[in-house]
Amino acid sequence: MNAWRYAVYGMVIILLVAIATATMPAASSALPALTATLPSPDLAHLPIIRYDASPTPAPTPTDSPYSAAAVLAITPSTHLQASTYNTGSFRLENISLDDVLLVELRIDLSTAILPDMVFDPFGVAGDKVAKDVTVDRAESLSLDGHAYEGPHDGGFNVLILNFHNFNRGEQFWFSVDVDPTSIAGVGAPGPGEAGSVGGLELIGTTVTATFDDGTVLTNEVARLDDPGNGGRTHSGAVAVLRPGLPGRPAVAVSGIAGPAAVSSAQQTVRVTGPVGRPFVLLVVEGGLFTAGVPNGGFDLDPFESNTAVDVREYRGNLGVGGAADVPIVLTRSVPEGGINTITAFLDNHYGVSGLVAEPLVLQLE
């Protein structure tokens, strides 16, 4: 009897185990997939954490809030031989988010990547053609006056514009002659059209805007992203004046302390700044054109160029350690050229550029 009872108990146990095994999920699906979407919205925006040797990517910073703001474009949508002399070459807009009036704009050419660029309202500093500030478009605002500062070889480094009733959303277009001092006394537009100065030659120019609420904003001119009608060699440049823009990156070539003459067109530029920042590396081939200029040119310096003849852009993001090594090709497209000015600027992740790197000049022999 006991043997029969134990046999029944054994059969019941075997049956229960079989039932449990049949209802258990397969081992391959018992754990959630690693790529499964997290069900909780509170966890959906947690950073991705890696467990290999690669670092966790830096989060994209949020766009800085602001109220007062302005933007200045120089020769937008124009070819490489653009000139600030032409109508509407400077285009200023009050892009404030609140009802803040723009009262003053200060433009300082002394920091431009090409040296000795000056305002030439009297035809003394550059070629013989001159143009003082000319209003080409004004809406309900008015220009209260303008002044020049920083005398430089017959021209001026600084132009100051004062406004009345410059409201949010309004635009002010103007033109004024800018020339390199190296062509003083020659007929316009000078050899190699060096007297036709556009936004490309003025990259790095310091622009300061003052508003009626006391806000003062400063930035530097960078290359305009939109190529406009000029294609790869367009001359457009822009300075956005608002808070929270990137600081100044640095550019360097290993083993070379510029300015310097080099024999190899193949170089590698290191751009440095905050980790993860988008950057634009610019290589502007300049030339020194002096044919027909009295005395062969005015106050010339080694490695000086007075016009841009070509430009190339290299884009990327700063990697580990806040650096990126960028292979570039220097050019010498004309006999007077080969003076390659290398600079860079950072993007705020939202399409707005900040300060411009101190330029490095390499002359390709």
Side-chain angles (χ1 to χ4, degrees), residues 255-268:
I256 300 176
V262 296
S263 58
S264 174
Q266 309 291 329
Q267 301 289 338
T268 299

Side-chain angles (χ1 to χ4, degrees), residues 2 26 64 222 262 351:
N2 287 337
S64 300
V262 296

Side-chain angles (χ1 to χ4, degrees), residues 272-294:
T272 55
V275 175
R277 280 285 188 185
F279 69 86
V280 177
L281 174 65
L282 280 183
V283 182
V284 179
E285 183 194 349
L288 182 62
F289 294 84
T290 57
V293 179

